[in-house]
C-alpha cells in the first residue's frame, strides 16, 4: 500500500459504512489480486479449523 493510499484511508469515515452480516460474496478469480487469493486461502483454513472443533 502506498503512502497516498494510506492517507486516503485515513480520510474515510468507516462509521458511516453499512454493516453487512451473513452476506454471500461472490469471488471472481478474474478480478482477484494476490491479497484476495490469500484471504480466500485463509478463509478455507479457518473453515477447516472450525470443523475440527
Amino acid at each position: 500500500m502506498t503512502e497516498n493510499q494510506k492517507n486516503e484511508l485515513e480520510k474515510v469515515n468507516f462509521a458511516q459504512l453499512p454493516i453487512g452480516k451473513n452476506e454471500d460474496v461472490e469471488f471472481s478469480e478474474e478480478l482477484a489480486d494476490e491479497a484476495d487469493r490469500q484471504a480466500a486461502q485463509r478463509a478455507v483454513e479457518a473453515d477447516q479449523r472450525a470443523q475440527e472443533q
Side-chain angles (χ1 to χ4, degrees):
M1 183 177 291
T2 67
E3 191 65 32
N4 189 37
Q5 289 172 319
K6 290 178 185 177
N7 290 338
E8 289 299 315
L9 281 176
E10 289 175 359
K11 296 175 186 176
V12 175
N13 184 352
F14 290 101
Q16 294 181 354
L17 293 175
I19 297 174
K21 295 184 180 180
N22 300 325
E23 293 182 15
D24 287 334
V25 178
E26 211 172 297
F27 180 81
S28 171
E29 186 66 41
E30 295 173 356
L31 301 176
D33 62 8
E34 185 59 28
D36 295 327
R37 289 183 193 91
Q38 290 175 359
Q41 181 60 38
R42 286 193 309 271
V44 168
E45 292 167 359
D47 287 345
Q48 289 173 343
R49 285 192 305 271
Q51 290 177 357
E52 291 173 1
Q53 293 180 357

